[in-house]
Structures are given as C-alpha cells and as structure tokens.
Amino acid sequence: MLMFVVPPAALGVWAARRRVLEEPGRHRALLRSTAAGGLGLAALAGLPQGLVGAGLLDTWVSTDALSLLQEFTGPLGGLGWAAVFGLAAGRILERGAEPSGLIRAVAATGQRSMTSYLLQSVVFTAVFAPFAGGLGGSTGAAGAAAVALLTWIATVVLSELQRLEGHRGPAETLLRRLTYGGRRRER
C-alpha cells in the first residue's frame, strides 16, 4: 500500500517546491512530457483490461494481473492529468485573462485537496459500503457516476465558500498545526 502513496506524495512535494503548477510557463517542457508520458502509459496499460472487459479480447493473462498493471500505472495517469491542467492554466495566464469563477472554485478545491478527498471518502463510504448505505451492489455505473459527480460538485462549492471566507480546509489546517506546532509559517 505504501508504494502507491509514498512515491506520488514525494513527487508532489518535489513539484510543489519547484512551483511546477504555480509557474507552468517556466516548466512547459516538463509538463508536456509528463502529460504525454503519463496519460499515454496509463491508457496503454489499461487498454488490455478494457478490451477484455468489453469482450473484444480473450486473454491467457489473468484479469488480476491486468488489474495490477492498471493499479501500478494509474498514478501516472493522474500525473498526466495534473500536467494537462497545469498547461491549460499556463495558457490562461499567458493570455492575461482573469480566471473565471469556475476556475477559481476548482483551484480552491485543489488548495483544499486533502479536505475534499476526505469528504469524498466519507460520502462514498456512507453511500456504497455494505456496512453503511449498501448501495454499491445495486447502484450501477450511471448511479455511481452521478453520486461521484454530485459529491465533487459539493466539494467544489464548499471549497469556494471557504476561499471566499479566507479559510483553509480543516484537514489542511490540522496538518499544518501538527507539522509546525504553534509556530506560524509564512509563505
């Protein structure tokens, strides 16, 4: 489990210290290669399982092995998407356009990503887990997608409200308190 958490977290720290997403114009080449490589490898690794699931490919490789391959390369897709969004943000900044309300709200969610992730996890557990709402086995793909979309929209709205009030997310505040103690860290 740690191998799925520690490397992406360390990479996130590395990128944050270099302000890769905050200053996308300075890191355009890195973002382009990350977008192409991450999305390309994740799509390529997920293709066999998708074809088997669709009944278009009969394979001698176990579906567990294909799932494991997809688990290992999934974070690469996440990095690729982050790079795509960084490039898009860079384009907006280059044009000198003021970010729209939606972009500011999504950025606020990114700044409160731990709080949003935890809130989404609580909702999904409450709705889908057998020991809670138990709808996981009966919802279907469209229902699950609707719950996921509505939950994401709710986290975006809550994050934007927190931004407008000048508050960090509760999880981010707790993490800073645990990390820095009573000392205030200025940025």
Side-chain angles (χ1 to χ4, degrees):
M1 184 63 163
L2 284 178
M3 68 183 183
F4 292 112
V5 175
V6 174
L11 189 57
V13 169
W14 177 87
R17 288 189 175 172
R18 282 154 187 81
R19 302 185 60 84
V20 173
L21 293 176
E22 287 91 351
E23 299 170 355
R26 288 186 47 220
H27 304 281
R28 190 172 288 119
L30 174 64
L31 290 170
R32 282 183 180 150
S33 61
T34 301
L39 291 175
L41 287 171
L44 189 61
L47 185 62
Q49 187 174 13
L51 292 173
V52 169
L56 300 173
L57 179 66
D58 189 28
T59 181
W60 54 270
V61 177
S62 84
T63 54
D64 289 340
L66 294 176
S67 293
L68 187 61
L69 176 64
Q70 193 172 4
E71 287 289 325
F72 275 108
T73 58
L76 297 176
L79 289 173
W81 279 114
V84 166
F85 290 125
L87 289 167
R91 285 279 211 214
I92 291 169
L93 293 173
E94 285 172 3
R95 286 188 274 168
E98 187 67 28
S100 70
L102 177 61
I103 291 174
R104 281 193 303 271
V106 171
T109 306
Q111 293 165 345
R112 292 153 186 84
S113 58
M114 190 180 318
T115 296
S116 297
Y117 170 76
L118 291 172
L119 179 58
Q120 292 166 5
S121 297
V122 168
V123 170
F124 297 153
T125 299
V127 172
F128 297 118
F131 57 85
L135 297 178
S138 62
T139 305
V147 169
L149 180 62
L150 292 172
T151 303
W152 180 78
I153 290 169
T155 58
V156 171
V157 169
L158 289 171
S159 295
E160 178 63 2
L161 291 173
Q162 289 175 334
R163 182 190 72 81
L164 291 171
E165 293 175 4
H167 298 298
R168 295 183 195 273
E172 288 77 16
T173 300
L174 177 62
L175 178 62
R176 284 180 179 271
R177 188 166 292 135
L178 292 172
T179 302
Y180 300 113
R183 302 176 287 152
R184 285 178 83 67
R185 183 170 182 251
E186 301 299 323
R187 282 193 112 216

